[in-house]
Amino acid sequence: SAVISQKPSRDICQRGTSLTIQCQVDSQVTMMFWYRQQPGQSLTLIATANQGSEATYESGFVIDKFPISRPNLTFSTLTVSNMSPEDSSIYLCSVWEYPSNYGYTFGSGTRLTVV
Amino acid sequence: DAKTTQPPSMDCAEGRAANLPCNHSTISGNEYVYWYRQIHSQGPQYIIHGLKNNETNEMASLIITEDRKSSTLILPHATLRDTAVYYCIVRVSPKTNAGNMLTFGGGTRLMVKP
């Protein structure tokens, strides 16, 4: 299965600033996704990162707050913009490779604390 | 995707089998049962999946009832490193519809005790 490198692994940021999280995969993958996991909660899908076009956002998430790029089949970024303490979460990148019928692979996550 | 119901927490003695149940009474004929686990401070890890037959791999066994309305994940000899949150997810194969991503419920927090 694909190996995902997610950077940074953790960060502490000031409110009002932005952070860009990178997701690098060691092989070309069909689908890339971004999740958020708030403290003590389960994972919530933010968006599907589409190569060469705008990401597809889930209800409750908007492009202005969480801009996503996917310039090729191995790389994506998620930016958390104009951060507030409520954005303190773990952000995870996930991928699926065609034609696998197996599971999705997840990165180790970025633990973000906004102060 | 069908909704799943799992107990919020379970304990298991080290070395014993851990049996984690999952109810998915509204599962459709083309939906698979997937199991993932999330060890503290890590991303979720794929464990196993199945459609209707029982499955076994190096990590676990998956037992699916004949009516497919429930399943059980079995860790045959639980170790302390198996302490994690276990998620049961029901969805179609990604080859059928990769656009629908995994939907995570609350999962079961398994505590393996010495």
Side-chain angles (χ1 to χ4, degrees):
Chain A
S1 61
V3 176
I4 299 174
S5 173
Q6 196 172 327
K7 294 180 181 179
S9 58
R10 59 178 61 226
D11 208 342
I12 301 173
C13 300
Q14 296 291 323
R15 67 178 68 198
T17 63
S18 298
L19 176 71
T20 296
I21 302 167
Q22 298 181 358
C23 178
Q24 178 73 57
V25 192
D26 69 342
S27 61
Q28 293 186 343
V29 293
T30 310
M31 306 290 291
M32 297 184 76
F33 308 90
W34 287 97
Y35 284 85
R36 180 177 73 181
Q37 187 171 28
Q38 295 176 299
Q41 303 297 312
S42 186
L43 285 78
T44 301
L45 179 65
I46 297 172
T48 302
N50 301 310
Q51 187 209 354
S53 64
E54 192 172 288
T56 304
Y57 289 85
E58 298 298 304
S59 176
F61 297 96
V62 296
I63 188 171
D64 290 346
K65 176 66 176 178
F66 297 101
I68 289 170
S69 78
R70 189 180 174 190
N72 55 51
L73 293 176
T74 65
F75 186 77
S76 177
T77 66
L78 167 74
T79 299
V80 186
S81 303
N82 188 25
M83 287 184 285
S84 67
E86 292 71 34
D87 295 320
S88 297
S89 296
I90 299 173
Y91 293 86
L92 297 121
C93 170
S94 176
V95 304
W96 175 71
E97 311 160 75
Y98 182 88
S100 172
N101 192 32
Y102 293 95
Y104 298 73
T105 303
F106 286 81
S108 56
T110 297
R111 184 179 294 272
L112 170 63
T113 302
V114 183
V115 297
Chain B
D1 297 335
K3 185 176 178 179
T4 62
T5 304
Q6 299 177 253
S9 64
M10 291 181 63
D11 290 343
C12 177
E14 186 179 20
R16 305 296 292 269
N19 297 292
L20 292 93
C22 180
N23 287 323
H24 31 79
S25 58
T26 59
I27 191 170
S28 299
N30 64 345
E31 289 182 314
Y32 288 73
V33 180
Y34 286 84
W35 282 85
Y36 285 76
R37 73 179 182 184
Q38 187 174 26
I39 296 172
H40 183 62
S41 297
Q42 298 182 22
Q45 175 191 24
Y46 165 82
I47 301 173
I48 199 168
H49 78 287
L51 183 62
K52 55 179 127 180
N53 297 322
N54 298 336
E55 302 288 345
T56 296
N57 63 20
E58 64 278 5
M59 291 182 67
S61 295
L62 174 60
I63 308 299
I64 302 174
T65 58
E66 192 168 343
D67 64 7
R68 302 208 323 123
K69 293 184 177 182
S70 65
S71 60
T72 301
L73 178 74
I74 301 173
L75 307 178
H77 305 287
T79 70
L80 298 179
R81 286 179 291 184
D82 292 321
T83 293
V85 178
Y86 288 77
Y87 296 100
C88 169
I89 300 168
V90 174
R91 60 148 293 154
V92 297
S93 164
K95 287 197 290 189
T96 301
N97 188 347
N100 282 340
M101 248 317 295
L102 293 175
T103 302
F104 286 82
T108 296
R109 186 174 298 276
L110 176 68
M111 179 72 70
V112 180
K113 298 183 175 181

